[in-house]
Amino acid sequence: MTIFYNEHSKVLVSVDCIIFGFEEGKLCVLIGRRKLDPGRGQWSLYGGFVRDTESIDDAANRVLFELTGLRNLYMRQVGAFGKVDRDPGERVISIAYYALINTKDYDKSLQEQHGVEWVDIKELPQMYSDHNEMVFKARRMMQEKISREPISFRLLPTLFTLTQLQRLYEAVCDEEVDKRNFRKRIKEMDFIEKTELIDKTSSKRGASLYRFNKKAYNEEQNFKL
């Protein structure tokens, strides 16, 4: 510790992670019950305090890895939440982040270990402090990005049907999408490739499987520049 700023009061800094997943046509959030006071037993996002030796991004990445066992996740900062009375325990300023994962990549044993579960965003309970506000703001950010950047593929398996992709858009934006217009738009995107594989889990005829071509997308972006 240094001798500087001793005349100023100190505050705690934490990170809270909004982890989105896509299951059975629903946009879900990973939440659990708080295991510490204040607010023990209340529904909550997963988070932690920033350590002296790490940046806030490092802290968020650490918390995400502890919870999911996954690295290099798509993660974006949502913003700072710092109302004076937001935490009854101490003066805590929280930096919220949202992350996108394919739920199939998430080890069920880690989910059980941390006591967290996927909850439909439309059925979220009242959570600790301002965590519902964090989720609301994060979703608004996703809605703004999903039409401009291919973030949706972070929530899907490597191979997916156009129906799955459409349902994902609808779940994120909370509105129905015209099937014909949606598919016409998708066909105009060179970075969404149709494969020769067929998914027959939903019907005998089956549906074509597609995949995201990251190289084609990067080339397209460079061409625009």
Side-chain angles (χ1 to χ4, degrees):
M1 299 293 290
T2 69
I3 61 173
F4 303 107
Y5 310 127
N6 287 332
E7 70 274 21
H8 297 288
S9 60
K10 303 297 190 292
V11 298
L12 296 170
V13 179
S14 67
V15 293
D16 283 297
C17 296
I18 305 121
I19 303 175
F20 289 113
F22 182 64
E23 284 197 322
E24 299 179 355
K26 299 175 183 178
L27 181 66
C28 299
V29 184
L30 197 62
I31 63 174
R33 299 279 187 177
R34 277 176 67 86
K35 299 177 181 178
L36 71 164
D37 294 318
R40 186 185 298 270
Q42 293 183 30
W43 287 108
S44 171
L45 297 171
Y46 195 83
F49 289 102
V50 179
R51 296 170 179 170
D52 291 341
T53 57
E54 62 186 3
S55 68
I56 54 175
D57 284 355
D58 289 340
N61 277 308
R62 170 177 56 80
V63 168
L64 285 171
F65 179 72
E66 288 174 355
L67 180 60
T68 67
L70 302 172
R71 297 191 185 276
N72 301 316
L73 293 174
Y74 179 92
M75 181 186 78
R76 292 293 184 273
Q77 188 181 123
V78 176
F81 293 77
K83 290 182 180 178
V84 174
D85 59 350
R86 64 173 300 275
D87 192 310
E90 281 285 354
R91 179 71 204 282
V92 181
I93 295 174
S94 180
I95 314 300
Y97 288 80
Y98 80 87
L100 310 178
I101 70 172
N102 176 6
T103 58
K104 303 302 181 185
D105 294 335
Y106 186 25
D107 189 334
K108 294 291 185 182
S109 64
L110 279 175
Q111 184 176 336
E112 294 173 1
Q113 176 184 326
H114 291 287
V116 292
E117 58 186 83
W118 292 109
V119 177
D120 184 349
I121 195 169
K122 292 183 177 181
E123 299 176 358
L124 278 180
Q126 183 59 46
M127 293 189 287
Y128 180 74
S129 186
D130 46 16
H131 289 190
N132 289 78
E133 182 183 349
M134 292 178 180
V135 174
F136 175 80
K137 188 173 181 180
R139 188 185 193 182
R140 289 292 298 271
M141 292 177 66
M142 283 181 62
Q143 291 172 343
E144 292 172 1
K145 276 186 174 291
I146 199 168
S147 61
R148 296 182 285 107
E149 298 179 23
I151 64 171
S152 55
F153 304 107
R154 302 280 186 162
L155 294 163
L156 292 170
T158 303
L159 296 174
F160 53 86
T161 66
L162 292 186
T163 297
Q164 286 177 304
L165 184 59
Q166 179 179 334
R167 286 178 178 170
L168 173 57
Y169 270 78
E170 291 174 333
V172 171
C173 299
D174 195 24
E175 62 182 20
E176 289 188 12
V177 176
D178 181 80
K179 180 178 179 180
R180 182 178 299 178
N181 290 337
F182 180 80
R183 298 201 172 199
K184 180 181 178 182
R185 183 182 173 194
I186 293 300
K187 289 179 180 179
E188 293 172 351
M189 298 178 180
D190 294 335
F191 52 86
I192 299 180
E193 292 183 338
K194 183 178 181 180
T195 71
E196 297 178 353
L197 301 173
I198 301 293
D199 175 26
K200 293 187 177 182
T201 56
S202 58
S203 68
K204 291 182 179 180
R205 181 181 177 185
S208 296
L209 286 166
Y210 291 73
R211 65 187 169 203
F212 171 61
N213 187 323
K214 185 176 181 180
K215 181 179 179 181
Y217 173 75
N218 290 337
E219 288 175 352
E220 179 178 307
Q221 296 305 108
N222 291 333
F223 178 76
K224 289 179 180 179
L225 294 175

